Amino acid sequence: MRTAKVASRGARLVGVLTLLLCAACVSTPRRPSSPVMYGPPAPVGFPATVRYVGADRQFFLAHVDEMAARVRSATAGGPLNILALSGGGAGGAFGAGALIGLSHAGRRPQFAGVTGVSTGALLAPFAYLGHDWDEQLADAFRGDRSEHLLRARGLGILFHPSVYRGQPLADLVDHFVTNELVTAVAKEFKTGRMLLVATTDLDKQETVIWDMGAIASQGGESARVLFRDVLVASASIPGLFPPVLIHVASGGTQYDEMHVDGGTTVPFFFTSEASLVVPIEFEKLRGAYVYVLMSSQLMTAPQATRVTISAILSRSFSAALRRSSRTSLELSAFFAQRYGMNFRFTQIPGDYPFEGPFRFRAAFMRALFDFGVACGERGLLWTDIEHSMDRNEFALTPVPLSEVKCPAEAVSR
């Protein structure tokens, strides 16, 4: 009897190993990738200038004056405000609530430039279009629509390149990327305002910056589809959600590019990474106000990690995002100071009982959304690095949600 049981278990183990070996050989059909790092290939039907590789110094040098002049012209003589939105998964509820709270209090700036990465990319069009789109913004991030976003494939994981199905995310984004939204973005683009979103091209292993206003201005269903696909790609965490293939062409030859979460290479951005190494003066941006809205935490209290795949993935993703965010924040603050810009940022406080970037439960997201609204309404959102460091000292002491202070609020415990 014991021998039979052992044999049965052995047969099941062999079966599982066989499936895993088969899965390792399964590949999603695709065209070859472009053989060049920078340059000609462009999304089919669009000019090459609708996107560029973040590290492309030549493109940056050729267009930096034009881009700076565009956003400056959009201010009509007023202050130049730039908003950078980070990734953070379910933490996007905080970012959405914060923007709506600022609207309620009449403190929301008119942003001449908005950039987004990952969940920040999904926030970005609404932040760009302003308070008239707050109802759609709340609908997208309060939690009801995203509660069933994570739909595991089960054994299907053996034959697909992701743990979760991609259709729920694609359907969610498609619901909000309407012809009306794309037309509204195109209208604002004509005034000089810029909306930029980052993805990661896995073939090149580089950040790609997409000019969403330029895409929208092309008009028609092809513009809406590319606009949607870029947002889906920027939010598709590799391994958890399937990558997005973008069809490009050059010289009559078509290629595929594999794009995933922009947060894979950059947690947020408000300028090209090439600008960090190219010696150039940004006189047109001197005096600008740069706001970084982080839908994540820079520090949290230690806690035991459950020994499950989802918990380990979530904590690993959070750790990587937290480390890269701290580094990028310091570099961005230095960059802004160097060129005479005013730098402010906000984050989910470290002592907030944040349950992780993959906690899309409606009640959790609604509470985080409401917290963001309250902080925005009270004018306690934006802070600086020195205050944040003092504030984060309390992250090592968890407190009930009712006792969590806003990011800019003084804390004494």
Side-chain angles (χ1 to χ4, degrees):
M1 185 69 120
R2 181 176 178 80
T3 303
K5 287 182 178 179
V6 171
S8 177
R9 289 173 186 163
R12 286 198 297 269
L13 178 59
V14 170
V16 170
L17 290 174
T18 301
L19 285 172
L20 289 173
L21 289 172
C22 290
C25 300
V26 173
S27 177
T28 301
R30 56 164 294 180
R31 297 183 181 92
S33 62
S34 169
V36 297
M37 178 65 77
Y38 311 129
V44 176
F46 292 84
T49 50
V50 299
R51 55 76 180 276
Y52 66 96
V53 176
D56 187 349
R57 296 172 60 188
Q58 295 306 314
F59 183 95
F60 176 74
L61 286 170
H63 294 87
V64 61
D65 288 338
E66 173 195 341
M67 291 188 288
R70 276 187 61 85
V71 294
R72 177 57 79 181
S73 68
T75 65
L80 173 57
N81 300 306
I82 300 170
L83 174 66
L85 298 159
S86 84
F94 169 75
L99 289 170
I100 291 174
L102 290 171
S103 293
H104 291 173
R107 294 190 175 99
R108 183 165 164 181
Q110 168 80 348
F111 298 110
V114 176
T115 70
V117 174
S118 195
T119 196
L122 306 185
L123 279 166
F126 301 114
Y128 179 76
L129 294 176
H131 62 82
D132 288 343
W133 288 76
D134 280 355
E135 183 177 345
Q136 291 92 328
L137 175 59
D139 187 24
F141 283 91
R142 220 170 5 216
D144 293 334
R145 289 191 177 275
S146 57
E147 187 160 28
H148 303 292
L149 195 60
L150 303 183
R151 292 178 56 190
R153 292 188 184 275
L155 287 178
I157 189 176
L158 300 175
F159 308 100
H160 296 276
S162 64
V163 173
Y164 299 113
R165 300 177 186 273
Q167 200 59 47
L169 175 60
D171 289 344
L172 177 67
V173 177
D174 189 70
H175 176 81
F176 290 101
V177 178
T178 60
N179 289 323
E180 181 185 9
L181 182 139
V182 174
T183 299
V185 168
K187 180 179 178 181
E188 293 301 320
F189 174 74
K190 291 178 181 178
T191 70
R193 298 177 66 217
M194 298 190 71
L195 173 61
L196 305 177
V197 162
T199 64
T200 298
D201 184 335
L202 282 186
D203 299 324
K204 294 181 174 66
Q205 296 185 310
E206 291 286 349
T207 305
V208 175
I209 308 299
W210 297 81
D211 189 335
M212 306 302 281
I215 292 172
S217 67
Q218 289 285 107
E221 179 63 6
S222 61
R224 192 194 74 83
V225 169
L226 182 59
F227 195 104
R228 176 202 65 197
D229 288 349
V230 170
L231 295 185
V232 172
S234 186
S236 294
I237 301 168
L240 295 184
F241 292 101
V244 175
L245 293 178
I246 304 291
H247 303 306
V248 299
S250 176
T253 303
Q254 293 199 359
Y255 308 97
D256 279 345
E257 295 176 347
M258 182 177 286
H259 289 261
V260 297
D261 190 348
T264 305
T265 49
V266 60
F268 64 84
F269 71 99
F270 67 89
T271 184
S272 168
E273 62 189 90
S275 65
L276 300 176
V277 295
V278 173
I280 190 169
E281 290 297 325
F282 288 89
E283 290 302 327
K284 293 184 178 66
L285 299 182
R286 190 167 297 277
Y289 290 83
V290 176
Y291 300 89
V292 176
L293 202 169
M294 302 183 66
S295 295
S296 60
Q297 295 174 306
L298 294 178
M299 185 179 293
T300 61
Q303 58 179 279
T305 302
R306 290 178 293 112
V307 188
T308 65
I309 292 176
S310 60
I312 292 170
L313 285 173
S314 178
R315 296 284 287 175
S316 299
F317 175 76
S318 295
L321 178 62
R322 188 172 298 126
R323 175 58 62 182
S324 64
S325 294
R326 287 204 293 257
T327 300
S328 293
L329 196 64
E330 292 169 358
L331 287 172
S332 298
F334 173 78
F335 180 90
Q337 182 182 34
R338 177 183 178 185
Y339 292 109
M341 305 178 195
N342 303 286
F343 185 82
R344 292 291 183 269
F345 79 100
T346 192
Q347 58 157 329
I348 302 173
D351 51 0
Y352 185 96
F354 185 53
E355 298 180 26
F358 306 139
R359 190 63 162 168
F360 289 101
R361 186 163 54 88
F364 162 71
M365 292 189 67
R366 195 173 299 114
L368 184 56
F369 174 88
D370 291 342
F371 176 75
V373 170
C375 293
E377 288 178 340
R378 296 171 60 200
L380 295 171
L381 197 62
W382 305 115
T383 184
D384 54 36
I385 289 181
E386 183 177 0
H387 176 82
S388 179
M389 289 175 65
D390 294 338
R391 177 76 172 79
N392 278 334
E393 288 182 7
F394 296 96
L396 302 180
T397 308
V399 299
L401 177 57
S402 60
E403 297 181 19
V404 178
K405 306 297 184 182
C406 291
E409 196 166 2
V411 177
S412 57
R413 290 198 291 268

